[in-house]
Amino acid sequence: MAKLASKTKQVKPKNNLTGFGLALMAFAGVWSFGNICNGFGYFGGTQVILPWLAVFVLYFLPYSLMVGELGSVFKKTDGGVSVWCFQTIGPKVAFFAGWIYWVVHMPYLTQKANMMVVSLNWIFSPQGTIAGMDVTVLQLLCLAVFLVGVVLSLRGADMVKNIAKIAGIAMLVMMFLYILMIFAAPLINPEHTGELRTFDIARDGLWPNDMSLLVNMSILILAVGGCEKIAPYVKSMKEPGKGFPRGMIILVIMVFATAVLGTIAMNSFYDGQEILKDNADFLANGQYQAFCKLGYFFGLGDWLMFFYAAANALAQFSAIIISIDAPLRILLGNADTNFIPKWWLKQNKYGSYTNGILVVTIIVSIITIIPCFGIGDANGLVKWLIDLNSVCMPIRYLFVFAAYFALKAKADQFVNEDYTFIKNKHFGKFIGAWCFAITAAACLMKMFSAPDTFQLIMNCGMPFILCGIGLLMPLFARRSKNKFNKRAGK
């Protein structure tokens, strides 16, 4: 029996993740070609380069390293911002962290459906651009796409995760291919290199010459956010104390390099200052037009664009299903019935939270339909959804910084031997407060930069209403408990 026991003894998994491996994982989850296009469109081309550098050094790097320390301190948990807030602050803030992480995905789901419809339009429409599409038709198509995602999420479609991985890899390949083909153009197609715009620092500049940096900072923050998803992998590293910061520095270098090179590559086809005069069309269609231009430059026709649009459509659709299911599981997985009504916790045989998904469906359907009454053109709708998400999505990052501030305030209670970003608790509190302030200021500035009254009301009202509902949830939970107790005869 002793011999049998020794044979069946489980072997602990090896901690063999390197800093470079971690950087690659984070890069695939954080960065995309769309981020390059958005920065190019909002800041006027190459004038986004130094703002990118500022965001990477002053925000993204400390943000990533803070996440690493939080993940390392609480490595015995499943990770996640609500767990960090529970451990460092308390159950109420933990609930609101989970609630806001979930609820800000509602506008995000609308945008993902919108982006998928745009991708499909470029595949199947001979004209490609959605400029002439009726807004109501566009949003009804988006709603149809979203509802298909709801049906699949109810069935626990695990295959979508594999599709997401394939589509994500394809998107990264297309981004690197675009950059490489532009810079290799003089060697591959020397006869036509005169058709490309050359990068002139004196002409194009590296820094915005107006207030676009302040107004659009949330666009860059949105682009680099979300690295808290890699926190659970700290415990899988060979040397967390050295490997994690090394991986994060590699990540920042990779993202900054592709941001700069991608921006210069886009500048080969587009005059950023001309785009800035009316950037809605570029934000909606620019990434597809870029691959069209690249394909025709090398005699490949629309094939590069078709492949990119197909990969993007798959990526957006998988993001819809994952964003319906995953944030809800984070909110309800360890739900406290003092804050969440029991009605929300009903699950089907696939483990999907059916009533929670019903609430998601209602909210997203309303958000999808409302723009039909106030936004007149399809390109403007795409731009507004980017603006709205740059206001709403970064709000969830605030709880990461609040948790880090609280961690440093209680440094004596949380001793960590694996990895510490900042040992001095006062400086650590300052960095946490710094990133919190930058995020909050960026969201507020973007919120009030709307071009008309309708969008201003939506930008201001949407985050406050969605987040404010969370304040009422304990009341609903209390009523739910009372009804349950009455039925049980208690």
Side-chain angles (χ1 to χ4, degrees):
M1 291 295 289
K3 290 182 179 180
L4 180 62
S6 64
K7 288 182 180 179
T8 57
K9 185 179 180 180
Q10 291 185 348
V11 178
K12 293 182 179 180
K14 295 181 180 179
N15 296 338
N16 56 5
L17 182 62
T18 64
F20 184 69
L22 183 77
L24 288 176
M25 291 173 59
F27 182 80
V30 169
W31 198 241
S32 73
F33 187 68
N35 293 328
I36 296 173
C37 294
N38 287 344
F40 192 92
Y42 275 96
F43 285 83
T46 57
Q47 292 187 6
V48 73
I49 291 177
L50 286 183
W52 273 131
L53 177 61
V55 168
F56 290 142
V57 174
L58 300 178
Y59 183 83
F60 185 36
L61 183 58
Y63 171 23
S64 303
L65 296 175
M66 276 188 268
V67 164
E69 183 172 347
L70 287 164
S72 181
V73 171
F74 304 113
K75 57 179 175 286
K76 293 182 179 180
T77 68
D78 291 333
V81 64
S82 59
V83 175
W84 300 338
C85 288
F86 181 85
Q87 296 287 346
T88 59
I89 304 175
K92 288 185 179 180
V93 175
F95 160 71
F96 285 115
W99 171 267
I100 289 176
Y101 187 91
W102 170 73
V103 81
V104 296
H105 278 81
M106 303 302 106
Y108 179 77
L109 283 164
T110 301
Q111 185 196 22
K112 289 294 155 183
N114 183 279
M115 291 174 70
M116 182 179 176
V117 171
V118 174
S119 295
L120 293 174
N121 190 67
W122 273 93
I123 295 174
F124 296 109
S125 172
Q127 295 181 347
T129 178
I130 63 166
M133 186 180 293
D134 182 77
V135 170
T136 302
V137 172
L138 174 61
Q139 290 306 87
L140 289 176
L141 290 172
C142 294
L143 186 58
V145 166
F146 168 71
L147 292 176
V148 172
V150 168
V151 173
L152 289 178
S153 66
L154 285 169
R155 297 185 62 84
D158 291 334
M159 66 173 183
V160 175
K161 296 179 182 178
N162 295 325
I163 294 174
K165 291 178 183 177
I166 295 171
I169 292 170
M171 292 281 284
L172 288 175
V173 168
M174 293 303 295
M175 176 176 64
F176 284 111
L177 183 65
Y178 184 87
I179 294 172
L180 288 173
M181 290 184 74
I182 288 292
F183 283 95
L187 298 176
I188 299 174
N189 199 358
E191 295 180 359
H192 297 282
T193 52
E195 300 172 16
L196 300 176
R197 299 179 74 254
T198 56
F199 176 48
D200 182 355
I201 294 180
R203 179 193 65 198
D204 300 307
L206 300 176
W207 188 264
N209 51 19
D210 53 26
M211 293 296 291
S212 61
L213 173 62
L214 295 177
V215 172
N216 296 315
M217 181 61 72
S218 64
I219 299 295
L220 305 187
I221 288 176
L222 175 63
V224 301
C227 64
E228 63 272 7
K229 291 179 284 189
I230 65 170
Y233 297 103
V234 176
K235 58 187 176 184
S236 301
M237 302 196 69
K238 286 182 178 179
E239 299 177 284
K242 296 180 180 179
F244 192 89
R246 185 183 299 129
M248 290 301 96
I249 292 170
I250 293 172
L251 172 63
V252 171
I253 293 172
M254 289 170 62
V255 172
F256 179 64
T258 51
V260 172
L261 295 176
T263 298
I264 295 173
M266 292 294 292
N267 191 66
S268 299
F269 285 129
Y270 295 100
D271 183 342
Q273 291 304 301
E274 289 298 318
I275 287 174
L276 199 57
K277 295 176 181 177
D278 184 14
N279 62 1
D281 181 71
F282 178 82
L283 294 172
N285 305 293
Q287 51 193 309
Y288 307 99
Q289 293 170 343
F291 277 99
C292 281
K293 292 184 177 185
L294 184 65
Y296 280 103
F297 181 82
F298 287 102
L300 300 174
D302 290 328
W303 284 106
L304 288 177
M305 182 275 293
F306 284 141
F307 187 76
Y308 175 78
N312 200 21
L314 283 175
Q316 304 309 323
F317 189 61
S318 60
I320 290 170
I321 299 174
I322 292 171
S323 297
I324 291 171
D325 183 68
L328 196 59
R329 290 183 184 276
I330 292 173
L331 177 65
L332 303 180
N334 297 300
D336 186 341
T337 53
N338 291 314
F339 300 103
I340 297 289
K342 289 186 176 181
W343 177 81
W344 283 54
L345 305 180
K346 180 181 177 182
Q347 293 177 278
N348 63 12
K349 63 180 181 180
Y350 300 104
S352 299
Y353 292 95
T354 51
N355 288 338
I357 290 176
L358 175 62
V359 176
V360 173
T361 305
I362 293 170
I363 295 175
V364 173
S365 297
I366 293 172
I367 295 174
T368 302
I369 296 302
I370 286 178
C372 299
F373 301 100
I375 298 180
D377 67 283
N379 287 339
L381 175 61
V382 173
K383 182 178 184 298
W384 173 68
L385 285 172
I386 297 173
D387 290 346
L388 179 64
N389 275 281
S390 73
V391 170
C392 293
M393 287 295 279
I395 294 175
R396 61 190 174 134
Y397 311 152
L398 294 175
F399 290 92
V400 174
F401 308 132
Y404 190 78
F405 184 94
L407 177 72
K408 288 301 166 183
K410 302 176 180 178
D412 297 337
Q413 300 178 29
F414 300 102
V415 179
N416 180 40
E417 298 178 355
D418 291 332
Y419 165 64
T420 302
F421 168 37
I422 297 174
K423 294 183 179 180
N424 184 289
K425 69 177 185 179
H426 299 294
F427 186 56
K429 288 164 63 177
F430 170 77
I431 294 298
W434 163 264
C435 288
F436 186 101
I438 290 177
T439 306
C443 291
L444 287 171
M445 284 187 288
K446 192 63 179 175
M447 185 184 296
F448 292 102
S449 67
D452 57 55
T453 303
F454 178 83
Q455 293 186 42
L456 178 63
I457 293 172
M458 294 294 289
N459 286 357
C460 295
M462 190 77 69
F464 283 109
I465 291 173
L466 292 177
C467 296
I469 294 173
L471 297 174
L472 302 176
M473 291 303 292
L475 175 62
F476 298 148
R478 198 177 306 121
R479 289 183 178 180
S480 177
K481 259 191 171 182
N482 291 337
K483 287 183 180 180
F484 179 81
N485 291 335
K486 285 182 180 179
R487 290 174 183 173
K490 294 182 180 179

